[in-house]
Amino acid sequence: MNIAISGLSIQVQGCQDLQAFRDLLLCGRTIPACQQTDCDPRQSLGNVCLAALHDADCFRDDQQNTAFLLVNAEEETNPLVFGLAGSVDYLPGGHSWLFSVWQRAKRLLSEGLVDTIVAAATETEGHGAVAVVFQRMEDVQQKNSRVYAVIDEEQALRAACSLELGRQAKAPLAQLDPAQFVSFTKNDQCALGTITGTIGCEGEFADLAGLIKASLSLYHRTHYAIPHWQGPSTPEHWEAAPFYVPTDSQPWFLEAGTNRRQAVLVCADSSG
């Protein structure tokens, strides 16, 4: 069973919707996502869940077939408060939490227990919120709705949560920031990216924001610029490595003989 990423939503300092976030990525700018804001984190979480469901074209008055998987959220921060009925699970954080979300989403969707999964997180200080909608690919295709990216069940998920993953990430990736993705081409030329350089924070919020960035990159066929890139901290790891870092946003063209774009999201702790 293939799982579609069909809805996205993010709110951070100075960037209150998905289009503004994409504009930020295109410009290669950094924002102080972890600065104090006047926004209630509970309201932000409810807003992004609602916006992600609308983005996926699956909002309805009865959300009983929807499961909400929340991290960094207090239990009183329940989507039911915002009129979003459905089951709610509060997940512990940690660098493997996104993999746990994937495992739970796959089980719930494959067993037909729900038809929609909303994974959502707040920044640890409550200064931003992000949400992603997962659905069965065949359900989205029947509705003729948008698909940002596909998670292929035939590809093994080990240390990373992958989007159409062609191969496992290798050692040099561990030297970069948390919440990165790698884009593979036919000749193993890999464009590297990171979300922490854009939103200015790490942790579970950054992991899910990184998933949004990877999904937008696949959907819009764009390698987004990396802010303030000066070079690798360990150049010796890069001498024979087929990696490059886009300093300007670039179109992502398919090479001859290839028929799909591939990306991998690496979620690591602060040590890499």
Side-chain angles (χ1 to χ4, degrees):
M1 179 188 68
N2 291 340
I3 294 179
I5 295 177
S6 57
L8 307 171
S9 180
I10 184 168
Q11 290 184 359
V12 291
Q13 172 71 14
C15 182
Q16 294 302 304
D17 57 35
L18 190 63
Q19 183 58 53
F21 182 66
R22 181 168 183 256
D23 291 342
L24 185 79
L25 295 174
L26 283 169
C27 295
R29 292 191 294 114
T30 299
I31 58 172
C34 297
Q35 285 189 356
Q36 182 66 46
T37 69
D38 295 329
C39 187
D40 183 346
R42 293 173 296 179
Q43 187 67 45
S44 294
L45 192 66
N47 288 343
V48 295
C49 288
L50 180 62
L53 287 168
H54 279 294
D55 189 49
D57 194 28
C58 61
F59 177 79
R60 49 189 179 269
D61 292 336
D62 179 6
Q63 296 286 159
Q64 293 300 327
N65 290 327
T66 300
F68 296 90
L69 306 179
L70 309 181
V71 68
N72 289 345
E74 300 176 358
E75 293 201 5
E76 62 266 25
T77 310
N78 193 314
L80 289 171
V81 174
F82 306 100
L84 303 176
S87 65
V88 181
D89 285 331
Y90 297 91
L91 305 179
H95 83 272
S96 62
W97 85 276
L98 196 54
F99 183 71
S100 299
V101 165
W102 154 251
Q103 290 180 314
R104 190 169 304 192
K106 182 175 70 171
R107 179 181 64 82
L108 292 172
L109 291 171
S110 63
E111 294 178 2
L113 300 176
V114 297
D115 57 30
T116 303
I117 304 285
V118 181
T122 59
E123 195 273 323
T124 52
E125 298 298 325
H127 308 323
V130 58
V132 175
V133 174
F134 302 94
Q135 295 180 291
R136 288 181 292 267
M137 184 63 179
E138 57 267 30
D139 293 345
V140 180
Q141 288 176 323
Q142 287 178 3
K143 297 189 302 179
N144 197 29
S145 297
R146 173 176 48 214
V147 175
Y148 286 104
V150 179
I151 302 176
D152 188 346
E153 190 182 28
E154 297 301 317
Q155 303 294 342
L157 296 182
R158 294 184 175 87
C161 174
S162 68
L163 307 177
E164 298 183 352
L165 176 60
R167 62 189 64 211
Q168 282 299 117
K170 300 300 182 181
L173 296 180
Q175 308 302 318
L176 299 178
D177 293 337
Q180 307 149 63
F181 75 95
V182 181
S183 310
F184 294 102
T185 67
K186 180 182 178 183
N187 296 322
D188 290 332
Q189 293 298 309
C190 307
L192 301 183
T194 176
I195 193 63
T196 55
T198 300
I199 63 174
C201 60
E202 302 175 356
E204 296 81 9
F205 173 80
D207 292 342
L208 210 51
L211 181 59
I212 286 184
K213 179 180 178 180
S215 300
L216 290 173
S217 186
L218 288 165
Y219 182 73
H220 292 288
R221 306 170 183 178
T222 302
H223 292 307
Y224 293 115
I226 305 304
H228 313 301
W229 172 254
Q230 296 180 342
S233 59
T234 54
E236 63 274 15
H237 288 150
W238 289 60
E239 292 178 358
F243 302 133
Y244 70 95
V245 174
T247 55
D248 296 300
S249 294
Q250 307 166 2
W252 184 354
F253 297 111
L254 281 177
E255 295 187 10
T258 61
N259 59 12
R260 67 176 183 175
R261 294 164 180 83
Q262 303 175 107
V264 58
L265 180 73
V266 180
C267 301
D269 59 23
S270 59
S271 67

